[in-house]
Amino acid sequence: MNKNSIKPTMSRRVFQVFNYALLIGIALMCIYPFWYVVIYTFSRAELADVRAPIFLPRGFSLSNYKEILTIKGFFPALLVSTVRTLVGTVLSVLACSFLGYLFTQERLPARKFLYRMLIVTMYISGGMIASYIVIKSYGLLNTFWVYIIPGLISAYNVVLIKTYVEQLPASLEESAKLDGAGYLRVFVSIILPLSKPIIATVAVFVAVGHWNSWFDNHIYARANSDLMTLQYLLYNYLNEAQRIADQIKNATGGSMDMEQVIASISPKGIRMTITVLASLPIFAVYPFMQKYFVKGIMVGAVKG
């Protein structure tokens, strides 16, 4: 008898219904907080503040986005964050990948010692003061490269890439070296193409880190307003929502009094709108890279 033709028992059906209901409930619990933020940004401030929206906006309005996008400094900060994320991700992935590949080479002088020193940095740090002094001594304060160079190498990412490269067939590298290829040629022509899963995984980690970072802007580039990132702008908005309302009033040429400003866009609406705008790029990129995560992390975590 075909197993597919056997009807499930009543207890089995009850279990399946309960199982699906539980999983759907957990999924909704994970999705709803962000959905609430989104629908709040599309709600009229005076209606949403009185009675919070549940599943749909209360009094559909685009005023939150309209006013936020006209605030001075938003688009320059968006540009800085975008350039920082692209440049930082590319350079960090290349540096970590090449270093991880070098640590797989037995002929590298002091390989084990250097690798262990790298691992130590995962557990021991010089602290904020020491980092500030080092960055200042190199002349990186208030420059764009203060966002890129200090975080160029990540010990965790190097370990992932090194472990992944060690799973690749050694015969490929040996045959390339017999044909006269050097380390750089082998890395570019063989290691990188075969390491796409782990490289894509590391790229997402680095990109999310750069996009969400704001503290380095606060510490190392605060004096240069041209280097303000979107996340630092978000940080300032979250702490100075009333000042944002004043800016909106000034942008209208004083035609709106403060009560009208607060009615058109509340400080809470400012927070949520900026949060949505800052999160959209990550939500747009993540689904395309997700397929590499399982393979990259599983293979890269077999051994260290």
Side-chain angles (χ1 to χ4, degrees), residues 27 40 89 159 260 265 274:
Y40 192 99
T89 300
V159 171
Q260 290 176 321
I265 178 169
I274 294 295

PDB file of all heavy atoms in Angstrom, residues 27 40 89 159 260 265 274:
ATOM      1  N   ALA A  27       6.103  33.556  13.993  1.00  0.00           N
ATOM      2  CA  ALA A  27       6.491  34.395  12.857  1.00  0.00           C
ATOM      3  C   ALA A  27       5.866  35.779  12.941  1.00  0.00           C
ATOM      4  O   ALA A  27       6.524  36.797  12.688  1.00  0.00           O
ATOM      5  CB  ALA A  27       6.101  33.705  11.548  1.00  0.00           C
ATOM      6  N   TYR A  40       3.022  52.976  11.391  1.00  0.00           N
ATOM      7  CA  TYR A  40       2.987  54.210  12.168  1.00  0.00           C
ATOM      8  C   TYR A  40       3.507  55.377  11.339  1.00  0.00           C
ATOM      9  O   TYR A  40       2.995  56.494  11.433  1.00  0.00           O
ATOM     10  CB  TYR A  40       3.806  54.057  13.440  1.00  0.00           C
ATOM     11  CG  TYR A  40       3.594  55.176  14.441  1.00  0.00           C
ATOM     12  CD1 TYR A  40       2.741  55.004  15.516  1.00  0.00           C
ATOM     13  CD2 TYR A  40       4.233  56.397  14.293  1.00  0.00           C
ATOM     14  CE1 TYR A  40       2.529  56.027  16.428  1.00  0.00           C
ATOM     15  CE2 TYR A  40       4.028  57.429  15.200  1.00  0.00           C
ATOM     16  CZ  TYR A  40       3.176  57.243  16.257  1.00  0.00           C
ATOM     17  OH  TYR A  40       2.961  58.262  17.151  1.00  0.00           O
ATOM     18  N   THR A  89      33.169  47.572   2.765  1.00  0.00           N
ATOM     19  CA  THR A  89      32.874  46.155   2.557  1.00  0.00           C
ATOM     20  C   THR A  89      33.848  45.525   1.572  1.00  0.00           C
ATOM     21  O   THR A  89      34.397  44.444   1.820  1.00  0.00           O
ATOM     22  CB  THR A  89      31.431  45.987   2.062  1.00  0.00           C
ATOM     23  OG1 THR A  89      30.524  46.519   3.031  1.00  0.00           O
ATOM     24  CG2 THR A  89      31.106  44.522   1.827  1.00  0.00           C
ATOM     25  N   VAL A 159      38.957  33.986  10.462  1.00  0.00           N
ATOM     26  CA  VAL A 159      38.822  32.582  10.872  1.00  0.00           C
ATOM     27  C   VAL A 159      37.820  31.853   9.982  1.00  0.00           C
ATOM     28  O   VAL A 159      38.056  30.719   9.547  1.00  0.00           O
ATOM     29  CB  VAL A 159      38.403  32.499  12.353  1.00  0.00           C
ATOM     30  CG1 VAL A 159      38.047  31.061  12.723  1.00  0.00           C
ATOM     31  CG2 VAL A 159      39.519  33.003  13.248  1.00  0.00           C
ATOM     32  N   GLN A 260       1.016  73.202  15.320  1.00  0.00           N
ATOM     33  CA  GLN A 260       0.748  72.628  14.004  1.00  0.00           C
ATOM     34  C   GLN A 260       1.875  71.698  13.565  1.00  0.00           C
ATOM     35  O   GLN A 260       1.632  70.681  12.928  1.00  0.00           O
ATOM     36  CB  GLN A 260       0.568  73.754  12.982  1.00  0.00           C
ATOM     37  CG  GLN A 260      -0.702  74.563  13.161  1.00  0.00           C
ATOM     38  CD  GLN A 260      -0.765  75.722  12.189  1.00  0.00           C
ATOM     39  OE1 GLN A 260       0.232  76.381  11.916  1.00  0.00           O
ATOM     40  NE2 GLN A 260      -1.953  75.974  11.667  1.00  0.00           N
ATOM     41  N   ILE A 265       3.769  66.198  12.400  1.00  0.00           N
ATOM     42  CA  ILE A 265       4.784  65.152  12.540  1.00  0.00           C
ATOM     43  C   ILE A 265       5.289  65.146  13.977  1.00  0.00           C
ATOM     44  O   ILE A 265       5.838  66.129  14.458  1.00  0.00           O
ATOM     45  CB  ILE A 265       5.943  65.369  11.557  1.00  0.00           C
ATOM     46  CG1 ILE A 265       7.005  64.288  11.749  1.00  0.00           C
ATOM     47  CG2 ILE A 265       6.526  66.735  11.662  1.00  0.00           C
ATOM     48  CD1 ILE A 265       8.040  64.284  10.651  1.00  0.00           C
ATOM     49  N   ILE A 274      12.811  57.617  10.377  1.00  0.00           N
ATOM     50  CA  ILE A 274      14.240  57.490  10.138  1.00  0.00           C
ATOM     51  C   ILE A 274      14.682  56.039  10.293  1.00  0.00           C
ATOM     52  O   ILE A 274      15.538  55.543   9.554  1.00  0.00           O
ATOM     53  CB  ILE A 274      15.036  58.398  11.096  1.00  0.00           C
ATOM     54  CG1 ILE A 274      14.737  59.854  10.780  1.00  0.00           C
ATOM     55  CG2 ILE A 274      16.528  58.148  10.961  1.00  0.00           C
ATOM     56  CD1 ILE A 274      15.210  60.300   9.418  1.00  0.00           C
TER      57      ILE A 274
END
